[in-house]
Amino acid sequence: MDDLTIDLPTGVRHALGTLTGAGHEAALVGGCVRDLVRGLQPGDWDLTTSAPPEAVAALFPDTTWTNIFGTVTVRLEDDPMEVEVTTYRSESGYTDGRRPDQVTWGTDVAEDLQRRDFTINAMAWVADDLAAGRGHLVDPYGGRQDLAAGLLRAVGDPDRRFTEDALRLLRGARFATTLGLRIEPATEAAMNRLAPTVARLSGERIRDELFRLLAWDGPTAPAFEQMERFGILGEILPELAALRGVEQGKLLGGDALDHSLRAADALPANDPLLRLTGLLHDVGKAPTASGGHFIGHEVVGAQLVEHRLEALALPRADITRATHLVRHHMILYGPEWTDAAVRRFIGRVGPGQPMADLFALRRADTAASAGPEARDAAAAELEARVAALQGSAVLTVGELAVNGSDLMRELNLAPGPEVGRLLD
Ligand code: ATP
Ligand code: MG
């Protein structure tokens, strides 16, 4: 018996006890069991149960039925947290390579573990003495042993599992990196072979998976490099993959793809959209490369990023935030800039969040070019001047962030006294 004693939050203990007290089976499953086996405290807790969703919903006062696959989100009163409770099930069909044609409720936990992607995710914890947190693992595929050996292995036949759901290819690259695992050879061979099938995934699922990777507080570059080796990267982010071999004379060396991966990792994981922007900020370089220059790459790049993020179904506000930053990431500041020029810069970028984002992106760009210790004196000076001016009022027309040409362009005006009147 594979015993494991754990420190259960009150709410989770309550949820398990409510289900078993009503005569159902209930177990912890998935990522939380993986974390517990590694000796970590899980961030979220998933339960699996023999109770059908209606019965789960009836047992708890505050629930939401999240999807048709029998997942019920339970909010707990005695502990301010949510747990997801999923009914045992088995899946079959998968003719479209992304979702099962048929889902049937299962009768035991082992059957439920069979549908899961990797051995390390296919373990369940069943309580023997709930109050004491004592219990045992149900681990039919040797997930505990694989974790100890540092191996990522598909449950069952890898070719079949990746063919069922191509998202598992992306999840595999993420888990290998975030958990520091080697991919077991048969699993790796299947990932290589089936890489092109990620093209069938919906933009939404790719987006969610990318954000999970980018929200991980550690270097994501190895995951993207692995996706590149498998041939996955060119399917999900072709503009980024196209930066391989685009040479640029940066201090740290490498090509534009190496630079992009470093830029993303120099940005904070708690802002995954900003990290994604860092990853994509130079995608305009492949199409504009000419004689060691990339003239207009920020304009071309902003268009490419807009199309990619639309394909990935990002919310419009996020697309706007990212493309705006890519569009303005080339800061051509020099000390000769007048205050009026700095104000026009503020007018173009926008004060507040966009300005803070732009300088964060710039610092990451510098770190990705010249190393984490590198300092960009010009950007720092501009940032200080922006801060000083943002604190002061506009006193003259010349200090406005807009000038006459801006007004004529934006309002479709012809040159004339009307422009001056508006500026005043
Ligand atoms: P984390 O939440 O840390 O990213 P996790 O393992 O909890 O990792 P979730 O996406 O929360 O991942 O899914 C919970 C569990 O559901 C997984 O551990 C796995 O057993 C199963 N699972 C999730 N997605 C898939 C999938 N596409 N194919 C097969 N099983 C999956
Ligand atoms: Mg999880």
Side-chain angles (χ1 to χ4, degrees):
M1 189 71 95
D2 211 349
D3 291 321
L4 185 69
T5 297
I6 62 182
D7 185 13
L8 280 171
T10 315
V12 177
R13 188 174 331 116
H14 172 90
L16 286 169
T18 303
L19 288 162
T20 52
H24 305 290
E25 289 181 19
L28 298 177
V29 74
C32 65
V33 179
R34 189 185 69 222
D35 289 343
L36 290 163
V37 169
R38 294 168 72 222
L40 304 175
Q41 190 66 6
D44 43 45
W45 299 77
D46 293 329
L47 273 59
T48 184
T49 179
S50 58
E54 303 80 9
V56 176
L59 281 170
F60 298 93
D62 190 4
T63 60
T64 330
W65 206 321
T66 29
N67 66 27
I68 52 162
F69 291 140
T71 300
V72 177
T73 302
V74 173
R75 276 169 298 279
L76 302 158
E77 293 167 333
D78 41 356
D79 200 359
M81 67 184 303
E82 289 185 355
V83 298
E84 299 222 312
V85 183
T86 307
T87 303
Y88 293 163
R89 64 179 205 243
S90 62
E91 298 173 347
S92 54
Y94 299 101
T95 36
D96 62 359
R98 51 191 206 189
R99 87 201 103 181
D101 300 335
Q102 216 189 332
V103 172
T104 38
W105 300 150
T107 48
D108 68 84
V109 69
E111 180 183 12
D112 184 81
L113 295 175
Q114 198 178 343
R115 71 176 172 89
R116 297 177 183 267
D117 48 6
F118 299 101
T119 62
I120 58 164
N121 291 343
M123 296 183 277
W125 181 88
V126 178
D128 298 311
D129 177 351
L130 191 58
R134 282 199 295 106
H136 64 274
L137 287 183
V138 180
D139 180 18
Y141 304 101
R144 188 176 208 171
Q145 211 180 326
D146 281 344
L147 260 185
L151 276 183
L152 184 74
R153 184 197 310 269
V155 167
D157 174 43
D159 269 275
R160 211 180 114 196
R161 305 319 307 282
F162 292 121
T163 306
E164 286 171 354
D165 181 4
L167 192 75
R168 294 171 187 162
L169 292 151
L170 301 186
R171 288 172 56 86
R174 171 164 63 93
F175 288 126
T177 290
T178 60
L179 302 173
L181 305 174
R182 274 174 303 117
I183 303 179
E184 173 274 328
T187 301
E188 177 157 42
M191 288 176 82
N192 252 314
R193 234 184 339 265
L194 293 166
T197 62
V198 300
R200 294 186 216 155
L201 290 169
S202 70
E204 287 84 347
R205 292 188 82 203
I206 297 173
R207 172 198 67 203
D208 290 350
E209 186 47 42
L210 272 177
F211 272 78
R212 283 178 143 198
L213 173 60
L214 291 165
W216 176 61
D217 194 7
T220 62
F224 289 107
E225 284 162 355
Q226 191 162 52
M227 286 191 233
E228 188 196 15
R229 282 195 297 278
F230 287 140
I232 293 173
L233 193 64
E235 301 291 345
I236 60 172
L237 296 171
E239 308 76 10
L240 183 68
L243 293 180
R244 181 59 82 209
V246 175
E247 294 304 331
Q248 44 173 24
K250 304 275 185 185
L251 207 61
L252 285 183
D255 56 26
L257 178 54
D258 298 317
H259 169 74
S260 300
L261 299 180
R262 286 195 296 259
D265 284 339
L267 286 159
N270 66 9
D271 192 347
L273 177 62
L274 191 56
R275 259 190 162 183
L276 181 62
T277 308
L279 190 67
L280 300 178
H281 78 285
D282 268 348
V283 293
K285 282 190 170 173
T288 57
S290 163
H293 297 283
F294 310 98
I295 294 165
H297 81 268
E298 70 279 21
V299 177
V300 175
Q303 281 163 358
L304 291 174
V305 168
E306 180 172 24
H307 287 142
R308 179 53 46 201
L309 299 188
E310 279 171 354
L312 292 176
L314 264 72
R316 182 43 62 184
D318 289 357
I319 298 178
T320 304
R321 180 179 177 214
T323 51
H324 181 71
L325 289 171
V326 173
R327 172 67 186 80
H328 292 288
H329 83 273
M330 295 300 288
I331 300 175
L332 303 169
Y333 175 75
E336 73 283 0
W337 277 27
T338 60
D339 279 357
V342 176
R343 284 193 202 284
R344 281 196 295 276
F345 170 76
I346 298 172
R348 282 195 301 276
V349 174
Q353 192 61 44
M355 188 61 76
D357 286 347
L358 188 67
F359 282 115
L361 178 60
R362 175 58 175 236
R363 275 190 290 276
D365 199 355
T366 303
S369 302
E373 307 302 323
R375 208 180 108 82
D376 180 344
E381 182 174 308
L382 177 59
E383 196 169 5
R385 289 185 66 186
V386 166
L389 282 179
Q390 280 185 345
S392 69
V394 173
L395 301 174
T396 67
V397 167
E399 289 173 352
L400 285 172
V402 293
N403 59 23
S405 358
D406 294 323
L407 283 191
M408 289 187 285
R409 190 183 60 244
E410 294 298 328
L411 302 176
N412 250 328
L413 296 176
E418 174 67 356
V419 178
R421 202 188 58 78
L422 279 172
L423 277 175
D424 285 337

